[in-house]
Amino acid sequence: MANINANLLRVPKSYLFRDIGNRVSAFMETHPDADIIKLGIGDAVQPIGRCIASAGAMRCADMASAEGFAGYPNEWGMMPLREAISRRVYGRAIPADNIFVSTGAKEDSGGIQDLFSLDTKVLVPNPVYPVYVNTNLMYGRTDIGYLEGNAINGFLPEIPTDIEDSCIIYLCFPNNPTGQVADRGYLKAWVDFADRTGSVIIFDAAYSAFIQSSGIPRSIFDVDGAQRVAIEIGSFSKSHSFTGIRVGWTAIGKEVELSGLKHAYKVRDLWANRQAYRTNGVSHILQAMALEALSDEGMEASRIQVAGTIHNALLMGDTLRELGLNPVGGIDAPYVWCPTPDGMSGWDFFDLLLSQCSVVCTPGEGFGTAGANHFRLSAFAHTDKVAEALERIKRLRL
Ligand code: PLP
């Protein structure tokens, strides 16, 4: 028998949303008539824009013609798509050559660790999107520092003053799970920290399309100095309902380098080489859809979807406040994050909502120790279902 990579045993046996799914299935077995409303996982529910579907159908049909057929896609992504991301998302601040198309932000936020030595310290916020922590554990990294977010710091963890070593820093704004956003000053302080310590920021911008408030940066590259220290991970999943289609990207600051034994290496070149060995790229059909997603019509479809989701999030926040709770987020993000009533555990509150209201939320404990006694509501749902779920929660008289 071959030996296991023992690091695989260091992560929880089951992914959070699989646990939740199992609890919901068990409830449905005993309550087959329950009308369950799912406000748990952040999965898209709105159909993709028609122009995007047509672009995919056309590219697929083209594959049946001698002129349109294409074999392996380029492992970095097709240039027109990389150029469109450069233009539409970064106003060309990040050149197309520094943008690498992928099958999503989850894959790249884990895979990016191929770049760093195993003894590099990792800093993550707490609460945190669990993928950042568990993929690092699988790689065998042991030095993980948790930066606590709480009601006092507005879930914007303080920038450490006692760390001198270079680190990998995970930041995610708008944040999952807290729905909070960061202003330019806060992000600049992280960029300065990274500059001072020789660290690299992995900035997960999967939810950037949800930012409504003016003055909030949609990209870390809107912040001075980020080109030296940041890698941004983007996605079409939440902005364009691509969760089931799977296209994202990684954008690398022009000057980000890592030090080797003899010299420094450009991260852009390291990642290009890593991709060449790890992937044969993303399907031509999906890339055609992503390209169309960035057209004016595709962006308009996204704007309408995002507006619907934000409308839901605002309804959620208002209702929870009416109930005397103190939610955060849900203004520039599709998540509302809230302390449970009477300090209940997040899992107890999850069970209460499921058993009394047939509503599924996500217990805060799933996002780390600082998530204890909190729950998250996802606004990725149809508005009539959200309204119905909130009515049921109101009747609970929390
Ligand atoms: N990053 C964050 C913070 C997320 O919350 C999610 C999904 O919920 C992802 C990445 C996954 O994105 P993708 O669908 O592009 O893999």
Side-chain angles (χ1 to χ4, degrees):
M1 223 187 273
N3 288 336
I4 188 176
N5 166 7
N7 295 319
L8 286 177
L9 305 176
R10 298 171 65 213
V11 304
K13 272 215 190 79
S14 171
Y15 187 53
L16 170 65
F17 291 104
R18 201 143 286 147
D19 279 350
I20 291 176
N22 291 340
R23 287 199 189 206
V24 174
S25 303
F27 178 77
M28 282 165 75
E29 259 173 39
T30 49
H31 301 81
D33 298 328
D35 170 21
I36 301 218
I37 301 178
K38 294 186 179 170
L39 307 178
I41 195 167
D43 195 358
V45 297
Q46 301 185 60
I48 58 170
R50 278 197 190 285
C51 62
I52 300 171
S54 302
M58 265 163 59
R59 188 67 193 90
C60 188
D62 278 354
M63 289 291 256
S65 70
E67 309 75 52
F69 176 78
Y72 283 126
N74 175 327
E75 65 269 32
W76 300 339
M78 66 174 184
M79 232 347 151
L81 176 56
R82 297 167 79 195
E83 270 162 6
I85 295 170
S86 167
R87 201 174 49 247
R88 183 68 89 170
V89 182
Y90 299 113
R92 298 191 195 279
I94 300 292
D97 262 352
N98 284 43
I99 293 168
F100 297 88
V101 177
S102 72
T103 56
K106 185 175 184 181
E107 157 187 320
D108 278 2
S109 61
I112 200 78
Q113 295 151 29
D114 276 348
L115 295 175
F116 302 93
S117 80
L118 281 183
D119 57 2
T120 312
K121 185 177 183 69
V122 181
L123 292 180
V124 292
N126 181 13
V128 63
Y129 177 52
V131 171
Y132 309 150
V133 173
N134 292 324
T135 51
N136 268 294
L137 293 175
M138 285 186 203
Y139 270 84
R141 289 207 174 76
T142 48
D143 192 359
I144 301 185
Y146 293 87
L147 305 170
E148 190 179 313
N150 50 46
I152 296 165
N153 58 27
F155 293 95
L156 299 173
E158 278 97 37
I159 289 126
T161 49
D162 55 347
I163 294 180
E164 297 301 327
D165 299 334
S166 57
C167 313
I168 310 168
I169 304 157
Y170 278 89
L171 297 180
C172 170
F173 290 108
N175 187 262
N176 176 18
T178 68
Q180 289 293 67
V181 286
D183 66 15
R184 199 175 299 273
Y186 182 75
L187 294 178
K188 174 70 176 138
W190 271 114
V191 167
D192 290 346
F193 171 84
D195 242 346
R196 181 172 65 73
T197 54
S199 301
V200 175
I201 296 172
I202 314 292
F203 190 81
D204 186 338
Y207 298 98
S208 63
F210 293 86
I211 294 176
Q212 316 286 309
S213 304
S214 59
I216 299 291
R218 286 191 165 206
S219 162
I220 189 78
F221 295 117
D222 289 347
V223 175
D224 275 354
Q227 295 275 4
R228 283 193 298 279
V229 297
I231 298 171
E232 180 162 302
I233 294 174
S235 176
F236 291 89
S237 281
K238 316 288 171 152
S239 58
H240 288 83
S241 284
F242 266 41
T243 47
I245 295 172
R246 312 300 310 139
V247 189
W249 69 89
T250 285
I252 300 173
K254 288 186 279 192
E255 296 152 43
V256 194
E257 290 185 334
L258 294 178
S259 66
L261 286 180
K262 293 204 175 121
H263 27 229
Y265 296 85
K266 281 250 179 286
V267 166
R268 185 259 160 227
D269 298 341
L270 295 171
W271 189 247
N273 208 23
R274 183 268 189 200
Q275 291 297 82
Y277 285 108
R278 283 273 201 180
T279 173
N280 271 327
V282 177
S283 147
H284 294 290
I285 296 156
L286 305 190
Q287 291 196 67
M289 294 172 82
L291 184 59
E292 183 61 28
L294 293 175
S295 69
D296 288 347
E297 208 179 332
M299 291 305 286
E300 179 57 12
S302 165
R303 195 191 59 72
I304 294 168
Q305 289 166 353
V306 164
T309 307
I310 288 291
H311 172 76
N312 294 342
L314 293 172
L315 281 180
M316 289 170 170
D318 287 348
T319 304
L320 294 175
R321 270 183 290 276
E322 262 174 54
L323 293 171
L325 300 175
N326 285 310
V328 296
I331 294 169
D332 293 299
Y335 298 122
V336 176
W337 176 251
C338 192
T340 54
D342 305 322
M344 285 170 92
S345 86
W347 280 111
D348 284 350
F349 188 71
F350 169 92
D351 286 336
L352 178 78
L353 275 202
L354 183 59
S355 60
Q356 303 300 306
C357 309
S358 300
V359 170
V360 180
C361 68
T362 306
E365 283 81 354
F367 301 101
T369 51
N373 316 113
H374 285 73
F375 65 97
R376 187 194 79 174
L377 294 182
S378 161
F380 290 103
H382 296 291
T383 300
D384 56 338
K385 292 284 178 194
V386 170
E388 166 67 22
L390 294 174
E391 282 308 315
R392 291 185 198 168
I393 294 173
K394 274 191 208 168
R395 287 199 290 271
L396 259 187
R397 305 205 172 281
L398 293 171

